[in-house]
């Protein structure tokens, strides 16, 4: 009599699990912005999400101005042989002149200074020869200068009435520079999302605590705290909850009353000591659990009243992958932004995969290198264990292998998701 062999892959049973794209569809369908707009000074708006479009109230630059230090003149006075111009005036930045340029005259002008009336072209000072004759200053401008050279036109960067940024955009340093150039001092942004961070597990200790055999230090809290720091949220540490059903239920109920999002790690599987999904079912509604994804299978999404619940796996690699793929875009939408899709690039594989399990999407830790001929290839971190933080630390990003792929040969194009596309240095 032969028995059924034991399965040595905890991710193998994926027939009844949600596919990656199905999970994303559920998240997109069931989340929306919950934060309230507020007006902030521009200096405090970095990384915040715009609550309304920003339209330029004026041209940038406001007037035609010189792009260089040099001499401004009327190009119509110029001929193929060059030009011999009488120096009429001197104009520095911040000191506009209303004196119209006379024929065959030039103005000594400096970078950023407003062009004098009538002038339309600037010659760079290093290309010109100043002269003095009979007490009058002149400048010789060489031939070949096109009309409008070295002159910035009014509205060349931003025209009045142009929409600079749209609502839902997350503000970067260069965005703040663009807004500042229009003169706007205050803008409307969404308030920060309130996120409660919960770690679960009898075995967890915080760094600095004494540790015994069987205990582990809570690395996930600091991982998720750092990942949240790059989002427009106020994340609060709610500590470690022991593996007791009553304690877990009480913690989730109290947290759901205070926060827009409760983000937990651990206790999300089917074990006897995994109480998260049971507490969620008692207190609210579970919309998603058990994904055909490796790592990250027990990723959970639900609601407790008005609070969104995100339950991440306990292993650090699975927790980070689940956060980046699922929690991060949810938090972005709830904070008023877009559903953040990762950047994806096709790169030749410098590794091999054989006998990949079907019907699930897999994400390996990978890093980019040159193949010796100056061409980029992606290499896979040698060990796949989802508890190995070293793989996260050494990787540049994630290698995405779709459900239908059974194997990867060296040189095959694979999809690479750089950590930089998730806002991680």
């Amino acid at each position: 009599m032969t028995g059924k062999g034991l399965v040595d892959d905890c991710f193998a049973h994926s027939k009844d699990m949600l596919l990656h794209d199905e999970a994303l569809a559920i998240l997109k369908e069931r989340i929306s912005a919950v934060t309230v707009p507020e007006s902030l000074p521009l200096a405090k708006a970095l990384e915040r999400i715009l609550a309304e479009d920003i339209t330029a109230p004026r041209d940038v630059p406001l007037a035609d101005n010189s792009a260089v230090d040099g001499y401004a003149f009327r190009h119509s006075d110029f001929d193929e042989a060059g030009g011999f111009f009488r120096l009429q005036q001197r104009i520095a930045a911040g000191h506009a002149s209303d004196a119209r340029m006379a024929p065959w005259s030039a103005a000594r002008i400096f970078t950023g200074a407003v062009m004098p009336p009538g002038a339309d072209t600037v010659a760079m000072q290093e290309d010109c020869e100043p002269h003095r004759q009979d007490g009058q200053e002149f400048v010789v401008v060489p031939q070949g200068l096109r009309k409008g050279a070295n002159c910035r036109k009014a509205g060349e960067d931003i025209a009045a009435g142009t929409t600079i940024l749209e609502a839902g955009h997350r503000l970067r340093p260069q965005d703040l520079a663009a807004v500042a150039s229009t003169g706007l001092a205050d803008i409307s942004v969404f308030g920060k999302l309130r996120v409660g961070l919960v770690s679960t597990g009898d075995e967890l200790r915080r760094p600095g605590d004494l540790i015994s055999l069987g205990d582990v230090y809570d690395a996930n809290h600091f991982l998720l705290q750092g990942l949240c720091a790059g989002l427009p949220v106020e994340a609060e540490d709610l500590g470690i909850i022991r593996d007791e059903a009553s304690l877990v239920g009480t913690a989730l109920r109290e947290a759901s009353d205070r926060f827009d999002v409760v983000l937990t790690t651990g206790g999300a599987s089917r074990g006897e000591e995994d109480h998260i999904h049971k507490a969620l079912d008692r207190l609210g509604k579970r919309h998603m659990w058990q994904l055909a994804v490796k790592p990250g299978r027990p990723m959970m999404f639900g609601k407790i009243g008005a609070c969104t619940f995100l339950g991440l796996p306990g292993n650090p690699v699975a927790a980070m992958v689940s956060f980046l793929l699922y929690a991060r875009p949810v938090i972005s939408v709830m904070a008023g932004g877009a559903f953040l899709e990762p950047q994806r690039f096709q790169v030749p594989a410098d590794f091999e995969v054989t006998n990949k399990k079907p019907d699930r999407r897999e994400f390996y830790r990978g890093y980019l290198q040159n193949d010796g001929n100056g061409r980029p290839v992606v290499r896979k971190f040698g060990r796949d264990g989802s508890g190995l933080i070293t793989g996260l630390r050494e990787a540049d990003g994630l290698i995405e292998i779709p459900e239908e792929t059974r194997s990867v040969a060296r040189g095959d194009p694979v999809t690479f998701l750089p950590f930089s596309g998730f806002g991680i240095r």
Side-chain angles (χ1 to χ4, degrees):
M1 178 177 176
T2 59
K4 187 177 292 185
L6 294 176
V7 176
D8 62 359
D9 184 354
C10 64
F11 291 90
H13 303 289
S14 58
K15 292 296 184 182
D16 297 326
M17 297 182 185
L18 283 171
L19 298 177
H20 172 68
D21 288 338
E22 292 172 338
L24 292 180
I26 290 173
L27 296 176
K28 291 176 181 179
E29 177 188 356
R30 304 192 183 190
I31 56 172
S32 59
V34 300
T35 54
V36 177
E38 60 181 350
S39 180
L40 275 188
L42 198 56
K44 295 184 178 181
L46 182 64
E47 301 295 349
R48 300 295 285 272
I49 295 175
L50 277 177
E52 58 184 33
D53 294 352
I54 293 183
T55 302
R58 54 184 62 84
D59 285 340
V60 179
L62 194 57
D64 294 358
N65 67 89
S66 177
V68 298
D69 292 344
Y71 298 89
F73 59 94
R74 305 187 320 174
H75 194 271
S76 59
D77 295 332
F78 205 46
D79 58 36
E80 293 183 359
F84 191 75
F85 294 92
R86 176 175 56 83
L87 199 60
Q88 175 181 321
Q89 55 185 313
R90 181 181 186 276
I91 309 172
H95 302 276
S97 170
D98 58 2
R100 177 165 289 276
M101 298 298 295
W104 291 101
S105 66
R108 180 73 167 108
I109 197 166
F110 298 91
T111 303
V114 174
M115 294 286 286
D120 56 18
T121 304
V122 179
M124 296 177 65
Q125 62 182 16
E126 51 265 46
D127 295 333
C128 300
E129 296 181 15
H131 289 275
R132 186 175 183 83
Q133 181 177 330
D134 300 329
Q136 175 65 53
E137 293 185 353
F138 295 86
V139 63
V140 177
V141 177
Q143 63 181 353
L145 204 61
R146 63 174 176 79
K147 182 178 180 179
N150 302 312
C151 176
R152 305 185 187 119
K153 303 298 289 183
E156 176 180 276
D157 188 11
I158 304 171
T162 300
T163 298
I164 306 172
L165 299 165
E166 295 182 350
H169 181 78
R170 191 168 164 206
L171 292 163
R172 306 166 298 169
Q174 57 267 45
D175 299 323
L176 298 185
V179 176
S181 73
T182 71
L184 293 174
D186 299 281
I187 56 177
S188 178
V189 298
F190 285 104
K192 288 188 175 183
L193 201 67
R194 298 166 300 163
V195 177
L197 301 178
V198 177
S199 301
T200 67
D202 287 353
E203 75 281 12
L204 294 184
R205 301 291 181 270
R206 285 291 169 83
D209 293 345
L210 294 176
I211 193 169
S212 303
L213 186 65
D215 294 339
V216 294
Y217 285 118
D218 183 11
N220 282 347
H221 169 72
F222 298 92
L223 172 68
L224 297 179
Q225 188 179 52
L227 292 171
C228 284
L231 295 169
V233 306
E234 291 179 348
E236 183 176 329
D237 179 14
L238 301 183
I240 298 171
I241 309 302
R242 296 182 62 82
D243 288 326
E244 295 182 21
S246 61
L247 295 179
V248 171
T250 298
L252 294 189
R253 184 181 65 254
E254 293 177 351
S256 67
D257 290 337
R258 296 178 51 207
F259 296 94
D260 301 308
V261 176
V262 172
L263 186 62
T264 68
T265 57
S269 295
R270 299 179 186 270
E272 293 181 7
E273 297 299 325
D274 294 321
H275 302 292
I276 292 291
H277 69 279
K278 299 171 187 174
L280 176 59
D281 289 345
R282 289 195 305 270
L283 298 170
K285 186 171 181 59
R286 176 163 31 108
H287 298 303
M288 188 178 87
W289 187 41
Q290 300 295 314
L291 310 184
V293 173
K294 179 184 179 182
R297 177 173 55 91
M299 169 70 198
M300 195 183 309
F301 162 65
K303 298 282 285 187
I304 303 175
C307 175
T308 293
F309 175 83
L310 295 167
L312 307 186
N315 285 318
V317 175
M320 182 165 173
V321 170
S322 297
F323 182 93
L324 296 179
L325 297 177
Y326 309 114
R328 182 173 179 265
V330 165
I331 289 172
S332 175
V333 171
M334 293 183 65
F339 192 93
L340 299 175
E341 301 282 0
Q343 292 178 334
R344 288 179 164 87
F345 301 96
Q346 292 294 301
V347 186
D350 194 22
F351 62 90
E352 295 179 352
V353 173
T354 58
N355 299 320
K356 171 189 164 289
K357 299 293 183 182
D359 304 318
R360 76 176 179 207
R361 192 164 305 199
E362 298 189 359
F363 294 89
Y364 307 132
R365 279 78 73 206
Y367 51 96
L368 296 176
Q369 290 191 340
N370 288 329
D371 64 358
N373 297 312
R375 293 171 298 191
V377 295
V378 61
R379 295 195 168 120
K380 175 178 169 293
F381 184 68
R383 295 170 291 162
D384 292 331
S386 62
L388 302 175
I389 300 175
T390 301
L392 294 176
R393 183 171 53 81
E394 295 186 0
D396 297 327
L398 302 174
I399 303 166
E400 182 178 14
I401 308 298
E403 290 83 357
E404 64 274 12
T405 300
R406 300 295 184 92
S407 63
V408 177
R410 202 174 301 273
D412 285 351
V414 294
T415 301
F416 184 68
L417 286 60
F419 283 151
S420 59
F422 296 103
I424 302 171
R425 288 190 295 110

